[in-house]
Amino acid sequence: RAAVYQARNQPEKATALLEQTRTQHPDQPGAWTALALDAARRGEAAKATAILADARQKLGDKVEFRLAALQLYAGAEGTTTNKDLSDLEKNLDAFTHEDRTLLLCRLAETYYRRGKASEGDRLCRLLAAEPVTDLSARLPLLQAVLLSEDDGLVDGVLADVGRLEGENGVWQRYGRAARLVTRACRGDRKGIGEAKTLLAEAAGRRPAWSLVALLQGRIGELDGDAAAALDGYQRAFDLGERRLDVAQALVRLLAERGHWEEADQVLRKLQEQLVFHGALARQAAEIALRTGNGERAVELARLAAPVEDVYPYHVWLGRLLTAAGRDADGESELRRAAAFPDAG
């Protein structure tokens, strides 16, 4: 219901409903995390952090709270965020094995996406060394490790997946195809044909699999086939793939064709599940402006503020505010930019 209010541009009703839910069900971790993420989406990072701190004090340290904190940090820019991420690894002894594995895999994915490959590899090696007896216990690690550039590490996890799934299983096909696509993205295209075959076989067995559609979109880009890339990314997103890299690729392709309304809708759906920061918020603000929604553009622009006050942000914000019809506010931001020592 809160998501429906958000879609109808009624954020106050969404927040009120989430606050009511937290009051009525204070023993439910999900009620707290939903409220915290709602605050973060409105740009109230301090309030979001305070809600999670209050939740931990009342309910104890739960994996839901750490995963919510990870969502708050995932797209944030700045060196302090790296310390916040490393803190999420600590004191996990009280968690179940499944919760610990899920958290560490999500952390590894976040490290990879932030360019901290060594940290991602460290966590993946730690988890790969732990024996498992069923496929489902290994799949979170497979998803994380496919972002690694360490061939030996990835091949080891793929071999383990094959052992658990059996010969030529669908996850093994997907994993091998993903590995070949990753290599192609780095310039080694020898395996593209094999990757297409593996994905076609996987799609035949699981036709509505978002991960297969995602890889087909990436192959379309590698082949220079923009239509195939757009089709793959759109299908992946429609099938529920809400990862940041998927949405960004889809938005970029839509924007290149001038499909601003469709790009804005993708970002609106993504914002229901992800806290916007930095470059993502700037991109969303510019696209909202293209759709004629100056109010949304200004709201998103405020979320784009960097941790450290810097000259380029005020120049960008001043220009966006002016384009949105906020001439006085735009002039104020440009004057702030001009006051910087390196304004030139």
Side-chain angles (χ1 to χ4, degrees):
R1 288 168 57 193
V4 170
Y5 283 134
Q6 290 285 0
R8 293 175 177 171
N9 198 27
Q10 297 175 306
E12 298 84 4
K13 289 187 177 181
T15 300
L17 177 60
L18 292 172
E19 288 177 342
Q20 177 185 357
T21 302
R22 190 268 309 267
T23 300
Q24 293 175 343
H25 304 280
D27 60 334
Q28 296 298 314
W32 292 87
T33 57
L35 188 59
L37 293 173
D38 176 72
R41 280 190 284 269
R42 296 196 312 272
E44 299 178 4
K47 182 176 181 179
T49 301
I51 290 171
L52 290 180
D54 194 19
R56 289 191 194 94
Q57 184 177 14
K58 289 180 169 61
L59 301 183
D61 188 10
K62 296 186 177 296
V63 72
E64 292 92 341
F65 302 148
R66 296 208 186 196
L67 290 172
L70 185 56
Q71 283 187 259
L72 299 183
Y73 302 147
E77 299 172 345
T79 55
T80 57
T81 304
N82 292 327
K83 180 182 182 303
D84 293 331
L85 290 175
S86 64
D87 285 345
L88 294 177
E89 297 181 39
K90 299 175 181 176
N91 304 318
L92 301 180
D93 293 342
F95 290 179
T96 66
H97 183 268
E98 291 77 12
D99 285 347
R100 174 181 172 275
T101 297
L102 177 61
L103 176 60
L104 292 181
C105 286
R106 295 280 177 83
L107 268 169
E109 290 183 41
T110 303
Y111 278 133
Y112 286 130
R113 297 188 194 285
R114 289 178 63 85
K116 308 278 290 182
S118 61
E119 293 300 303
D121 286 347
R122 174 179 59 80
L123 291 182
C124 286
R125 288 194 189 92
L126 178 69
L127 293 167
E130 298 177 353
V132 295
T133 57
D134 65 276
L135 178 63
S136 62
R138 192 51 95 203
L139 293 182
L141 177 57
L142 174 65
Q143 290 290 83
V145 81
L146 286 171
L147 298 172
S148 174
E149 296 186 9
D150 186 326
D151 289 338
L153 176 59
V154 178
D155 290 342
V157 174
L158 283 173
D160 207 24
V161 168
R163 174 183 63 82
L164 295 166
E165 187 180 28
E167 189 66 24
N168 293 319
V170 68
W171 275 103
Q172 190 178 27
R173 280 181 167 85
Y174 161 75
R176 286 164 55 198
R179 192 74 189 114
L180 293 169
V181 171
T182 299
R183 287 175 177 168
C185 290
R186 297 183 198 140
D188 180 3
R189 294 178 51 88
K190 294 193 297 291
I192 282 289
E194 182 184 353
K196 291 178 181 179
T197 300
L198 289 167
L199 290 174
E201 292 171 351
R205 293 167 61 178
R206 292 183 59 173
W209 197 3
S210 63
L211 292 175
V212 169
L214 166 58
L215 288 182
Q216 290 171 332
R218 285 183 176 157
I219 289 175
E221 278 204 281
L222 289 167
D223 286 345
D225 187 340
L230 179 58
D231 175 71
Y233 289 134
Q234 186 71 68
R235 284 188 293 113
F237 191 82
D238 291 344
L239 289 168
E241 201 62 45
R242 293 295 189 264
R243 282 170 22 196
L244 177 58
D245 58 329
V246 180
Q248 285 181 316
L250 177 55
V251 167
R252 174 173 47 77
L253 290 169
L254 290 169
E256 287 173 356
R257 287 158 179 73
H259 298 169
W260 305 112
E261 293 288 347
E262 292 93 331
D264 184 60
Q265 286 303 312
V266 169
L267 288 166
R268 285 176 181 271
K269 290 178 182 178
L270 183 65
Q271 197 175 12
E272 293 173 4
Q273 300 183 19
L274 188 70
V275 178
F276 281 18
H277 299 282
L280 178 60
R282 290 192 291 274
Q283 180 189 40
E286 290 166 1
I287 287 175
L289 194 61
R290 291 274 191 168
T291 68
N293 193 336
E295 182 178 345
R296 173 169 164 78
V298 172
E299 175 187 327
L300 289 163
R302 300 299 183 187
L303 298 178
V307 175
E308 298 177 356
D309 199 31
V310 292
Y311 162 77
Y313 170 71
H314 295 291
V315 173
W316 173 83
L317 181 58
R319 290 173 175 169
L320 184 135
L321 290 169
T322 301
R326 304 280 189 90
D327 292 348
D329 292 337
E331 180 180 350
S332 175
E333 289 296 332
L334 292 173
R335 288 185 181 278
R336 288 183 68 182
F340 275 73
D342 56 349

